Amino acid sequence: MKDLLQFQLSPEEAVNDTAIRQMIKSKLSWTRNTDFYYKWVRRSIDARKPNIRINCSFEVVDSELEFTQLEPFEERNVVSAPPVHIVGSGPAGLFAALRCIEKGLKPIILERGKDVRTRRRDLAKLNRDMELNTESNYCFGEGGAGTYSDGKLYTRSKKRGDIKRALELFVHFGADPDILVDAHPHIGTNKLPQIIVAMREKIISCGGEVHFNAKLVDFEINKNAISRLILEDGREMECQHVILATGHSARDIFYLLNDKGLKLEAKGFALGVRIEHSQELIDQIQYHGRLNDEYLPPASYSLVTQANDHGVYSFCMCPGGIVAPCATGEGEVVTNGWSPSKRNNPYSNSGIVVSVLPEDLGDPNDPFVCLNFQKAVEQKCWEAAGKTQRVPAQRLMDFINNRVSKDLPQTSYKPGLVSVNLNEVLPSLISDSLRKGFMDFGRKMKGFLTNEAVLHAPESRTSSPVLIPRNEKFMHPELVGLYPCGEGAGYAGGIISAAIDGMKIVDEISEELGSEV
Ligand SMILES: Cc1cc2nc3c(=O)[nH]c(=O)nc-3n(C[C@H](O)[C@H](O)[C@H](O)COP(=O)(O)OP(=O)(O)OC[C@H]3O[C@@H](n4cnc5c(N)ncnc54)[C@H](O)[C@@H]3O)c2cc1C
């Protein structure tokens, strides 16, 4: 027997083995004396009405051996295999490296930042002393921008097979198998680093290479093909296949490609603020007043509207989270959010951003029109808050009513806040749409509009403001062997889509090399 059953249970029943078994028996009209085994396949919360339900989907079998198994990670010894150079060890780079091993190719990862453990010390200094290390921060270093994040693993990508494979690999390297089941899976900042270390150790034990403090600063071209990589410390490496997975914050890489005369395009992105409410308020709103419920996780929300012909939406919402300083360069401030696996901080934060297109900002043919806008806002916010890693901030209702907040409550943002009128700091294109957007969100979520909520500015690294073009072989159309990849190149927006893009590119390289054994 192998059945797939779907039904709803209350939150209490959904954690109760007896209640689950009873429901399965009733659904199967179970009369046999033998026992059965069940496994969660899908779990989501339906909190649209006060009677909150859990949508459950189970696989039911006679013997545990019948359960659908995870596809294993296929280890190969790649010491002497054809090399693939991978610049950047974010999800795109790491999953590309893992796929290289499965395909019998030798990944050589070059990462400008440090290993996860050493990187953590730089984050502590940034939060505590406002000391920014431009090579080791929330965006740069082993694991990329996703390492010290909420680790939300959902994506708008529709390719179920690819998503499943990426999630399975996370589980293979130590993530809780619940991520394969939950409709909105997440891992948490406290757990991601170990998983990334396990991936790195596997890559090395199979014969791959991982180099930290290995910043790509230049490359050579020979007969229209990339032929040599040059690192900041003077090291040089011959290369044939280079996966460029440097993320949305590696502006120097965009400038390098442009200086080499390679085509780039401006890409629309989104910019706004990071709002923080108390988690209790969000639970109260989303769970219809049901507070401190041990059977429900900290509530999240997802909001979207249109204002002044621009999309305004919540981005990277972190229940039980912390607002983090995510700048990568001097003279700028940037915010984002993370949360631990239990999401047990008293705060809830989310980006609330306005989508912008190149034509909104200037000459759409200028590849840097969006990047320059992003940079200018980050610099202006830095100046407005006193030229440190403190950020300009304002209470929500004060922002809507266009008045400076007399005081600011303590928020989770460790470096601190400076009270300003964000309407005067953010471009009106952004602040006007944000104000209208917030009013609509207040109608959709009663209680969302409160002066206890605080806006932190800016939320500006939502996706890449530049697109690195690629052809049907995933190569830059003007440079043989260069494979723009992941979020920085404009082909992903989040951990899972970046991971999928990394794997997809290796499949293409492998096919080209005919190296599959
Ligand atoms: C605080 C925070 C929270 C986030 N939360 C989530 C979340 O919950 N869920 C989600 O899906 N996404 C989240 N994101 C976004 C997510 O992290 C990114 O979408 C994802 O990491 C993109 O993957 P990537 O591999 O394309 O690029 P990145 O992760 O940005 O990795 C690029 C890597 O390249 C390296 N690099 C850059 N330039 C060079 C160079 N010249 N030489 C060598 N190496 C270089 C960088 O150091 C970096 O490690 C979050 C981001 C941040 C900052």
Side-chain angles (χ1 to χ4, degrees):
M1 173 188 72
K2 190 176 210 172
D3 268 292
L4 191 67
L5 296 181
Q6 288 177 350
F7 47 82
Q8 287 194 324
L9 292 172
S10 70
E12 294 85 333
E13 289 166 337
V15 292
N16 181 329
D17 178 59
T18 312
I20 293 171
R21 283 182 173 279
Q22 264 173 9
M23 189 61 142
I24 291 175
K25 280 185 177 171
S26 116
K27 289 276 165 195
L28 288 176
S29 307
W30 191 264
T31 51
R32 292 165 26 189
N33 289 329
T34 49
D35 203 1
F36 60 84
Y37 296 85
Y38 71 86
K39 191 169 89 169
W40 280 92
V41 175
R42 195 95 180 131
R43 176 169 45 217
S44 65
I45 301 172
D46 184 349
R48 284 172 297 175
K49 295 192 183 134
N51 179 21
I52 296 173
R53 308 296 288 164
I54 307 296
N55 297 317
C56 314
S57 174
F58 292 103
E59 190 173 76
V60 185
V61 294
D62 284 318
S63 149
E64 278 183 294
L65 294 174
E66 290 175 67
F67 279 136
T68 309
Q69 301 298 317
L70 295 191
E71 211 181 297
F73 174 69
E74 273 186 56
E75 288 180 33
R76 296 184 189 199
N77 184 330
V78 294
V79 176
S80 314
V84 175
H85 290 81
I86 300 172
V87 190
S89 73
L94 274 178
F95 278 71
L98 294 173
R99 187 67 139 218
C100 278
I101 286 168
E102 291 196 300
K103 290 282 180 186
L105 300 168
K106 177 177 180 168
I108 301 175
I109 295 185
L110 306 172
E111 166 56 54
R112 76 196 288 164
K114 303 178 186 175
D115 68 277
V116 278
R117 293 211 173 90
T118 322
R119 185 180 171 194
R120 190 185 283 277
R121 283 183 223 132
D122 293 318
L123 300 186
K125 270 194 221 155
L126 175 59
N127 279 297
R128 198 184 48 227
D129 310 324
M130 293 196 270
E131 241 179 69
L132 172 71
N133 181 330
T134 55
E135 302 304 323
S136 176
N137 44 57
Y138 276 94
C139 292
F140 294 161
E142 187 178 18
T147 309
Y148 295 98
S149 74
D150 187 35
K152 281 177 288 297
L153 299 179
Y154 33 101
T155 166
R156 280 185 227 142
S157 168
K158 294 278 176 284
K159 296 190 178 156
R160 298 290 333 155
D162 294 346
I163 298 169
K164 183 164 161 279
R165 185 64 189 142
L167 292 173
E168 279 180 352
L169 284 175
F170 269 116
V171 172
H172 186 87
F173 288 99
D176 188 326
D178 273 355
I179 65 167
L180 300 168
V181 169
D182 287 323
H184 291 114
H186 86 110
I187 295 184
T189 306
N190 48 325
K191 300 214 166 148
L192 273 160
Q194 290 112 277
I195 295 170
I196 282 159
V197 169
M199 289 178 176
R200 180 223 306 158
E201 284 171 353
K202 182 58 69 187
I203 291 164
I204 293 171
S205 73
C206 288
E209 294 175 20
V210 181
H211 302 268
F212 296 115
N213 301 307
K215 178 175 173 182
L216 178 76
V217 289
D218 200 359
F219 55 86
E220 285 175 11
I221 299 174
N222 188 6
K223 295 185 187 141
N224 284 335
I226 189 158
S227 58
R228 185 179 290 272
L229 300 175
I230 299 164
L231 305 188
E232 191 171 49
D233 60 11
R235 274 181 286 171
E236 297 193 4
M237 297 174 181
E238 277 180 27
C239 61
Q240 215 180 345
H241 296 90
V242 178
I243 298 180
L244 190 69
T246 43
H248 57 28
S249 291
R251 290 176 178 157
D252 39 10
I253 287 293
F254 299 136
Y255 295 137
L256 174 64
L257 297 178
N258 189 55
D259 290 348
K260 295 274 178 194
L262 295 169
K263 188 169 160 40
L264 298 174
E265 291 168 25
K267 185 184 138 298
F269 74 116
L271 187 146
V273 293
R274 188 150 280 258
I275 189 167
E276 185 171 276
H277 290 87
S278 78
Q279 183 60 45
E280 197 174 89
L281 177 74
I282 299 301
D283 289 348
Q284 197 164 17
I285 301 173
Q286 298 298 76
Y287 293 152
H288 314 275
R290 198 166 156 166
L291 274 183
N292 302 322
D293 189 318
E294 61 180 304
Y295 301 109
L296 289 171
S300 60
Y301 58 82
S302 172
L303 292 163
V304 56
T305 191
Q306 282 280 320
N308 303 338
D309 292 329
H310 290 271
V312 181
Y313 58 95
S314 57
F315 170 81
C316 190
M317 197 262 154
C318 298
I322 301 284
V323 181
C326 293
T328 48
E330 298 296 347
E332 64 187 29
V333 284
V334 177
T335 64
N336 206 312
W338 63 266
S339 53
S341 56
K342 290 199 172 130
R343 289 179 158 166
N344 54 359
N345 283 295
Y347 308 100
S348 137
N349 69 67
S350 177
I352 302 286
V353 293
V354 180
S355 53
V356 286
L357 294 171
E359 46 273 33
D360 297 326
L361 307 173
D363 177 5
N365 296 318
D366 172 0
F368 296 130
V369 70
C370 292
L371 189 145
N372 288 340
F373 177 77
Q374 180 193 48
K375 237 167 115 173
V377 172
E378 292 170 359
Q379 280 170 5
K380 191 153 183 216
C381 287
W382 177 75
E383 279 160 16
K387 303 187 176 179
T388 65
Q389 283 303 307
R390 290 198 184 93
V391 286
Q394 193 168 15
R395 289 176 183 263
L396 174 58
M397 297 313 294
D398 290 340
F399 172 69
I400 291 173
N401 293 315
N402 198 18
R403 60 181 180 229
V404 178
S405 301
K406 286 201 196 78
D407 58 9
L408 291 169
Q410 195 189 342
T411 75
S412 67
Y413 185 78
K414 293 230 170 67
L417 312 178
V418 174
S419 178
V420 302
N421 187 352
L422 288 175
N423 291 289
E424 287 165 12
V425 175
L426 296 171
S428 57
L429 170 71
I430 301 298
S431 57
D432 291 350
S433 300
L434 279 178
R435 278 198 311 277
K436 288 191 183 146
F438 279 129
M439 295 306 287
D440 190 47
F441 296 160
R443 284 187 283 274
K444 289 177 169 149
M445 266 179 81
K446 298 274 176 278
F448 189 88
L449 291 187
T450 161
N451 220 21
E452 292 312 302
V454 179
L455 310 183
H456 305 64
E459 172 86 23
S460 48
R461 306 276 173 100
T462 50
S463 71
S464 181
V466 175
L467 181 110
I468 311 178
R470 60 189 192 194
N471 60 20
E472 65 293 345
K473 298 247 173 231
F474 301 116
M475 267 186 249
H476 191 286
E478 296 164 340
L479 189 57
V480 174
L482 183 76
Y483 296 82
C485 177
E487 187 162 42
Y491 301 98
I495 295 171
I496 290 292
S497 56
I500 290 173
D501 201 50
M503 293 190 289
K504 191 165 75 181
I505 284 185
V506 173
D507 289 350
E508 181 64 35
I509 295 174
S510 160
E511 202 165 295
E512 192 202 316
L513 285 171
S515 69
E516 210 165 350
V517 283

